[in-house]
Amino acid sequence: GAGVSQSPRYKVAKRGQDVALRCDPISGHVSLFWYQQALGQGPEFLTYFQNEAQLDKSGLPSDRFFAERPEGSVSTLKIQRTQQEDSAVYLCASSLAERSDSYQETQYFGPGTRLLVL
Amino acid sequence: SQQGEEDPQALSIQEGENATMNCSYKTSINNLQWYRQNSGRGLVHLILIRSNEREKHSGRLRVTLDTSKKSSSLLITASRAADTASYFCATYDYKLSFGAGTTVTVRA
């Protein structure tokens, strides 16, 4: 009965460093989402996976951001050459069904990874 | 870019009072959802209202939706200290588009 988990919970990186953020969705959930939440703002969509397929990456802010979900469960969001503007909370969410199933709209969020780039 | 805009940005009330916050959005929707976020529990889904519904209740929560005005409201009745959190509306198009949120402080 575990929920969505994310690691690490906090990450401090020096500008220019690469970071990798991990998300463990609820077991059996087909859909996985990444969101970015800047301080004082609401979360903003980054990318979407349906099983292992990345079907929407329209929210990724630059080509320094890369996400994968190779076996359709755990997902990793990687940020290369981090910049100060990347400082934010990165939220992962999962839901049971595919995006075409309009009656399975509830997304379950993890606690987030707070990234601080110095 | 944010789809929704919440109003007010911040709200401070006494325990036992009601709290009302509003959300306006820009495009047509499938449904609209409200979430709560606090430091202890992360982002939690509260209630979903579909585009063909006008009002919905869940415990102490009441949500209204006016699609002609592209607006929604969330009412929390008989507030408690544990209701202290940020509240976000989000429109659903398989992905969620959130507003900037309303920060609610409930004073004991």
Side-chain angles (χ1 to χ4, degrees), chain A residues 33 35 37 42 56 105 107, chain B residues 2 37 50 94-96 99:
Chain A
F33 303 80
Y35 294 85
Q37 185 174 20
D56 187 343
E105 308 99 332
Q107 294 182 19
Chain B
Q2 311 263 241
Q37 185 177 42
R50 301 189 189 284
Y94 93 86
K95 58 194 175 189
L96 295 167

Side-chain angles (χ1 to χ4, degrees), chain B residues 23 25 29-34 48-56 62-74 91:
Chain B
C23 166
Y25 56 92
I29 60 170
N30 181 316
N31 66 63
L32 186 141
Q33 304 180 27
W34 285 89
L48 179 154
I49 186 164
R50 301 189 189 284
S51 59
N52 62 352
E53 297 175 311
R54 291 297 166 259
E55 187 171 314
K56 201 161 184 180
R62 173 179 167 252
V63 168
T64 64
L65 180 65
D66 186 335
T67 54
S68 67
K69 295 181 179 177
K70 292 188 168 58
S71 67
S72 174
S73 68
L74 172 67
T91 56

Side-chain angles (χ1 to χ4, degrees), chain B residues 56-93:
Chain B
K56 201 161 184 180
H57 296 254
S58 176
R60 293 184 297 110
L61 305 179
R62 173 179 167 252
V63 168
T64 64
L65 180 65
D66 186 335
T67 54
S68 67
K69 295 181 179 177
K70 292 188 168 58
S71 67
S72 174
S73 68
L74 172 67
L75 167 68
I76 306 171
T77 59
S79 62
R80 306 167 181 168
D83 295 329
T84 293
S86 291
Y87 292 81
F88 297 91
C89 68
T91 56
Y92 176 85
D93 176 22

Side-chain angles (χ1 to χ4, degrees), chain A residues 41-71:
Chain A
Q41 298 297 314
E44 294 210 9
F45 170 79
L46 292 177
T47 188
Y48 166 72
F49 289 87
Q50 183 170 293
N51 296 307
E52 69 279 2
Q54 188 176 21
L55 299 185
D56 187 343
K57 51 184 180 179
S58 63
L60 296 177
S62 77
D63 58 8
R64 295 186 296 104
F65 286 70
F66 171 78
E68 61 183 4
R69 192 186 185 198
E71 296 177 359

Side-chain angles (χ1 to χ4, degrees), chain A residues 8-9 18 46 54 76 87 94 111 115:
Chain A
R9 292 293 308 279
D18 297 349
L46 292 177
Q54 188 176 21
T76 303
S87 295
S94 69
L115 173 65

Side-chain angles (χ1 to χ4, degrees), chain A:
Chain A
V4 178
S5 61
Q6 293 185 246
S7 61
R9 292 293 308 279
Y10 303 92
K11 177 70 179 176
V12 179
K14 292 183 180 177
R15 188 172 160 229
Q17 252 186 326
D18 297 349
V19 298
L21 312 179
R22 177 187 169 105
C23 171
D24 280 87
I26 294 173
S27 178
H29 276 197
V30 168
S31 292
L32 186 144
F33 303 80
W34 283 98
Y35 294 85
Q36 178 191 58
Q37 185 174 20
L39 190 64
Q41 298 297 314
E44 294 210 9
F45 170 79
L46 292 177
T47 188
Y48 166 72
F49 289 87
Q50 183 170 293
N51 296 307
E52 69 279 2
Q54 188 176 21
L55 299 185
D56 187 343
K57 51 184 180 179
S58 63
L60 296 177
S62 77
D63 58 8
R64 295 186 296 104
F65 286 70
F66 171 78
E68 61 183 4
R69 192 186 185 198
E71 296 177 359
S73 55
V74 170
S75 176
T76 303
L77 177 67
K78 297 179 179 177
I79 309 173
Q80 297 177 322
R81 304 181 304 282
T82 52
Q83 304 293 315
Q84 286 185 322
E85 61 262 28
D86 300 334
S87 295
V89 175
Y90 290 86
L91 296 167
C92 175
S94 69
S95 67
L96 182 60
E98 301 177 357
R99 64 178 177 176
S100 59
D101 185 342
S102 62
Y103 271 79
Q104 295 288 342
E105 308 99 332
T106 301
Q107 294 182 19
Y108 299 87
F109 282 80
T113 294
R114 186 176 297 276
L115 173 65
L116 177 63
V117 181
L118 301 176

